[in-house]
Amino acid sequence: DGVQQRKNSWQDGVLGTNCPIPVGWNWTYQFQVKDQIGSFFYFPSINLQRAAGGYGGFTINNRVIIPVPFDTPHGDITLFIGDWFNKNHTDLRKELDQGKALGVPDGVLINGKGPYRYNNTIVPAGIDYETISVQPGKTYRLRVHNVGMFTCLNFRIQSHNLLLVETEGRTRCSRTTQVCEWLNWDRVVGVAILHYSNSKGKASGPLPDPPNDFYDKTYSMNQARSIRWNVTASGARPNPQGSFRYGSINVTQMYIVENKPTILIDGKRRATLNGISYSPPDTPLRLADQYDKKGVYKLDFPTRPDNGQLRIATSIINGTYKGFMEIVFQNNDTRVQSYHLDGYAFFVVGMDYGDWTENSRGTYNKWDGVARSTIQVYPGAWTAVLVSLDNVGTWNLRSEDLDSWYLGQETYISVVNPEGTNKTELPVPDNALYCGLLKDMQKPQTPHAQGEKSSSSLRSSLVSTVMLFLAAFPILLW
């Protein structure tokens, strides 16, 4: 699950909550990570800048007194995998703006490096590849992040068995489902080397076989369904209404969120949710609320697919504080989609092919559904989640495929405590940025000195590094 920014959507790093960081400025994030252990990465949230390599990782560890349901590993290895285009992110944006599909990626990178020369025909000589050094007989924890544009990837190690201990994000769906029926996908492979300390030779032999699901569309879905919550293990976990029995909590709001293939709206190629392509305003939504600026958005996102006229709008969901929301993602496109909700972990309770109906609730897993903030939705299929709206703020709900997100496949959920207490939401941070209707409130900032570093502590050093790397735009913590 993503960093939930409890009571603090001001720090969420998307255009609905943050103004972009001006060029030459820096901005410091301060947020609580209570009950949120795991592997995360940060990335810029606008203009496909993640596709240019703008990402990095950090880990939130459990306290020693909280046991985890597996032996302490000998070492930790963080891997960033993702599809890669030779074109830069500005050219990719131009293609999307012109109504073009981005097509097949030029390859897959592992930790920013190209593939080991596993095939002399496909991979040219001289490519720098990633090498991971390990010792024989030891156990290692691999933290694998998919940081690419939109390609679903499988991760496997030749002649090794992997034990899945935690899951989040997009790497669980099959590379050979639907999207990989395109031509030239044979080169969309990333290969690194796992090098044992006592090894003297080079890696050899064929790559591990991919899932044999080209003609079996249920293979990957059954794999995803098999991921269940370990309800007997200690550790951080979501706990709505003081009970792990989320299946007995009454649903108070229900949304069916449908996506379709991109379509022309007002002469522009756009992506939609329930017939609406989101248009980000110049003023962040949460700041508009705080300073009573009217007309920035409308709380009129439809609860079900709207068969009316497609439109571009700033339309968001009106969530009920302390309510329990059911969201069904209906994918009527031809490729796997993934959806992310900021501010929360939701329970994944069901998925199947076809159209969701009221009878589909009879298939829900109401006991040990895994808690995540990002979930895949297979083509021609649906995925259902349940979420307890206990985190006050304005929270982004979007496609995690960068091209679909860029073209408008997002909305927000506004969660307001009607009591107006400051106990459920932190105040606006002192370093808040202002833009749009609030631009006159912005105070000048001294440009960040080139090469400035902080050495007061490891924590300060990490924050400084993050902000230096992402000094021109908001980042999203995921």
Side-chain angles (χ1 to χ4, degrees), residues 187-243:
R187 71 170 183 263
V188 188
V189 177
V191 180
I193 295 298
L194 188 72
H195 182 265
Y196 280 83
S197 58
N198 62 349
S199 175
K200 305 299 181 183
K202 294 183 177 181
S204 61
L207 296 179
D209 291 332
N212 184 23
D213 66 343
F214 192 85
Y215 300 104
D216 179 9
K217 67 179 184 179
T218 62
Y219 181 99
S220 185
M221 182 178 286
N222 287 338
Q223 183 187 54
R225 286 168 170 160
S226 71
I227 303 173
R228 299 299 180 90
W229 193 269
N230 185 346
V231 295
T232 64
S234 300
R237 66 182 69 195
N239 188 13
Q241 299 187 14
S243 170

Side-chain angles (χ1 to χ4, degrees), residues 80-84 105-110 113-115 151 153 175 185 187-191:
F80 299 106
I81 64 176
D83 54 16
W84 180 259
D106 294 297
V108 170
L109 301 186
I110 298 179
K113 299 180 180 180
T151 306
L153 298 169
R175 178 179 152 260
W185 278 90
R187 71 170 183 263
V188 188
V189 177
V191 180

Side-chain angles (χ1 to χ4, degrees), residues 283-298 434-441:
T283 308
L285 313 180
R286 185 62 195 91
L287 286 174
D289 281 346
Q290 180 68 19
Y291 296 100
D292 199 26
K293 298 297 182 181
K294 306 296 185 183
V296 173
Y297 65 89
K298 291 184 177 180
Y434 297 95
C435 54
L437 297 175
L438 302 169
K439 63 182 179 180
D440 292 340
M441 295 180 59

Side-chain angles (χ1 to χ4, degrees), residues 15-16 278-301 311 313-319 393-394 411-416 437:
L15 290 179
Y278 182 84
S279 176
D282 293 333
T283 308
L285 313 180
R286 185 62 195 91
L287 286 174
D289 281 346
Q290 180 68 19
Y291 296 100
D292 199 26
K293 298 297 182 181
K294 306 296 185 183
V296 173
Y297 65 89
K298 291 184 177 180
L299 287 168
D300 62 352
F301 190 85
R311 58 193 174 102
T314 308
S315 174
I316 72 173
I317 294 172
N318 188 7
T394 303
T411 184
Y412 285 80
I413 300 178
S414 174
V415 182
V416 177
L437 297 175

Side-chain angles (χ1 to χ4, degrees), residues 63-229:
R63 292 180 294 168
V64 177
I65 62 173
I66 301 177
V68 291
F70 50 87
D71 293 337
T72 302
H74 180 74
D76 258 41
I77 299 168
T78 298
L79 297 175
F80 299 106
I81 64 176
D83 54 16
W84 180 259
F85 290 82
N86 290 331
K87 297 177 182 178
N88 64 38
H89 68 290
T90 57
D91 290 332
L92 294 175
R93 285 207 315 268
K94 289 179 182 177
E95 291 195 2
L96 292 174
D97 290 339
Q98 294 168 0
K100 300 177 182 178
L102 297 183
V104 180
D106 294 297
V108 170
L109 301 186
I110 298 179
N111 284 355
K113 299 180 180 180
Y116 174 76
R117 201 178 190 195
Y118 65 94
N119 183 306
N120 294 346
T121 302
I122 297 177
V123 184
I127 298 292
D128 185 23
Y129 57 86
E130 177 73 340
T131 299
I132 303 161
S133 298
V134 297
Q135 298 181 25
K138 303 293 185 180
T139 299
Y140 293 83
R141 175 165 43 196
L142 303 177
R143 303 177 185 270
V144 185
H145 305 271
N146 187 339
V147 294
M149 286 279 292
F150 53 72
T151 306
C152 295
L153 298 169
N154 284 280
F155 177 81
R156 53 197 60 223
I157 301 178
Q158 181 184 29
S159 302
H160 285 71
N161 293 322
L162 304 178
L163 175 65
L164 180 66
V165 294
E166 290 183 355
T167 183
E168 176 50 70
R170 306 166 55 192
T171 54
R172 297 295 299 170
C173 51
S174 171
R175 178 179 152 260
T176 56
T177 301
Q178 292 291 335
V179 67
C180 297
E181 294 176 9
W182 300 349
L183 299 175
N184 301 321
W185 278 90
D186 57 343
R187 71 170 183 263
V188 188
V189 177
V191 180
I193 295 298
L194 188 72
H195 182 265
Y196 280 83
S197 58
N198 62 349
S199 175
K200 305 299 181 183
K202 294 183 177 181
S204 61
L207 296 179
D209 291 332
N212 184 23
D213 66 343
F214 192 85
Y215 300 104
D216 179 9
K217 67 179 184 179
T218 62
Y219 181 99
S220 185
M221 182 178 286
N222 287 338
Q223 183 187 54
R225 286 168 170 160
S226 71
I227 303 173
R228 299 299 180 90
W229 193 269

Side-chain angles (χ1 to χ4, degrees), residues 373-405:
S373 64
T374 307
I375 188 62
Q376 70 268 44
V377 191
Y378 294 92
W382 57 268
T383 296
V385 304
L386 298 175
V387 56
S388 175
L389 299 181
D390 61 351
N391 193 13
V392 171
T394 303
W395 304 105
N396 190 242
L397 175 65
R398 65 178 179 275
S399 169
E400 267 297 285
D401 296 348
L402 290 189
D403 54 347
S404 298
W405 184 9

